[in-house]
Amino acid sequence: WIVDLTANAEGRFQTEEAPKGRIRLQATQEGFTDEGQGSKEVEAPSPQPVILKLNRPTFSISGRVVMRENQQGVAGFILRAAAQNAGANRKEFMAETDGTGLYRFDNLERGNYQVSSVAKENSHLNAVIPINEDFKNVRLFEKSVDKVDFFAVSGLVVSGLVVTSGGQPVNGAEVTVAGLDAASTFSGSDGRFRLQGVPMPSSGQDIGLYTLRLAASHEQYGTGLSDPLPANAGQELTNITITLQGLTNLTGNVVDRQGAGVPGARVMLRDLIQPQVQETMTDSSGGFVFQNVSSTAQPFAQLR
């Protein structure tokens, strides 16, 4: 006699079909481990509820932060690990290096984590680290991640000008590192800016979808990208120009396989330069519109 049961939201299960005699119950669930209490043998019918226990394993990420110049560990360096899930309540964890530069994030659930530096001058310390699981016979094998090392370097100062597509200076544009939530500043009345704590281009690390660039945005004039920052620039870069490309409306339709419009469909527009997402719903004919969308002169394939 074998039967599969599914527990309800409270974890309860029940069957009235079990034959009299000794039977074995075993609980399995993807993402959980059985450390000895997930299966039991009982006499049926059992006068008391049978309790089976599974454990949700946790993981860790560890490594060192060292100075690139001398390979010495950096004490008191603060790192952030942010869970890369789509929910609104994304978890963040903080860790500080010890006297030898060692850090460790504990009690992490499975998923992808973006580990980055809190210090703006080391904002290039930015890596997405997956914590994966292998399943065999519905058992989960824990896979923590260690020896994830980062090199700390001095920050770079970049100055330049933000202009419109017509060449006019833009006041109040926010200037950041494209694809990285770290250093930021605003342009002045003459369109000029000075941004500190920019990653060193010589580090050779891509930031998200892009080689190292600056991005500027303004609610009236849209978004723009600088050219890739040159490598081996020393401690300061000057005369970097960022041209804002203006705003536009984006319209389209959602249709089914027969070509008929789909009303009430959810449409999301993700900004690939700034970490922003817009949402809307299709109308009765399947049409949708996004207003005041930032545009860029570079095709997506050329951003790397």
Side-chain angles (χ1 to χ4, degrees):
W1 176 82
I2 299 176
V3 64
D4 290 328
L5 304 173
T6 301
N8 64 17
E10 298 178 345
R12 298 183 181 276
F13 64 90
Q14 181 177 350
T15 177
E16 299 177 353
E17 301 175 358
K20 294 183 178 180
R22 193 160 188 83
I23 62 173
R24 171 181 289 273
L25 296 93
Q26 182 175 12
T28 59
Q29 169 72 309
E30 182 176 304
F32 289 79
T33 59
D34 177 2
E35 296 185 2
Q37 300 186 65
S39 62
K40 288 185 179 179
E41 290 188 1
V42 299
E43 292 290 339
S46 176
Q48 299 295 330
V50 179
I51 298 178
L52 305 176
K53 295 183 179 180
L54 298 176
N55 294 316
R56 185 189 297 275
T58 59
F59 309 90
S60 65
I61 298 174
S62 61
R64 297 183 72 221
V65 176
V66 299
M67 290 300 296
R68 183 179 294 276
E69 292 84 357
N70 55 21
Q71 305 296 305
Q72 296 297 311
V74 181
F77 197 100
I78 300 177
L79 291 169
R80 176 193 296 113
Q84 300 298 287
N85 59 311
N89 299 319
R90 294 199 303 177
K91 293 183 179 179
E92 289 191 353
F93 302 83
M94 309 293 287
E96 184 174 349
T97 58
D98 63 13
T100 63
L102 291 172
Y103 73 89
R104 184 179 182 89
F105 295 99
D106 286 314
N107 300 320
L108 305 179
E109 298 179 0
R110 59 178 177 164
N112 295 329
Y113 290 84
Q114 182 181 38
V115 178
S116 58
S117 166
V118 174
K120 291 182 177 180
E121 63 270 19
N122 283 284
S123 55
H124 68 286
L125 307 188
N126 185 55
V128 175
I129 301 172
I131 297 180
N132 299 318
E133 307 84 23
D134 292 334
F135 293 94
K136 184 178 182 181
N137 298 326
V138 203
R139 286 183 60 89
L140 180 146
F141 295 84
E142 301 183 13
K143 289 192 177 293
S144 294
V145 182
D146 58 6
K147 296 183 179 179
V148 180
D149 298 338
F150 294 104
F151 294 97
V153 297
S154 302
L156 176 69
V157 178
V158 182
S159 59
L161 181 67
V162 180
V163 297
T164 66
S165 56
Q168 298 300 313
V170 177
N171 178 29
E174 183 177 15
V175 181
T176 62
V177 180
L180 186 61
D181 183 15
S184 65
T185 189
F186 289 88
S187 60
S189 58
D190 57 356
R192 297 198 170 274
F193 67 89
R194 180 180 174 85
L195 182 62
Q196 297 178 313
V198 177
M200 300 291 284
S202 58
S203 65
Q205 181 178 359
D206 284 353
I207 303 297
L209 296 171
Y210 318 100
T211 53
L212 194 60
R213 303 168 182 254
L214 297 188
S217 60
H218 190 279
E219 61 180 9
Q220 181 178 353
Y221 300 108
T223 299
L225 288 170
S226 73
D227 291 333
L229 301 184
N232 303 316
Q235 293 298 310
E236 186 165 357
L237 278 172
T238 59
N239 300 322
I240 301 298
T241 300
I242 306 174
T243 302
L244 304 185
Q245 302 297 324
L247 301 171
T248 187
N249 291 340
L250 176 65
T251 62
N253 292 276
V254 177
V255 298
D256 59 21
R257 292 184 178 181
Q258 285 72 42
V262 179
R266 179 187 177 199
V267 183
M268 299 179 64
L269 177 66
R270 186 179 302 275
D271 193 322
L272 295 177
I273 298 176
Q274 304 293 338
Q276 300 173 351
V277 176
Q278 299 182 53
E279 292 187 18
T280 189
M281 305 292 289
T282 57
D283 58 24
S284 58
S285 62
F288 64 86
V289 58
F290 291 98
Q291 297 180 338
N292 297 326
V293 177
S294 296
S295 60
T296 178
Q298 298 96 332
F300 174 75
Q302 297 180 7
L303 291 178
R304 285 197 71 91

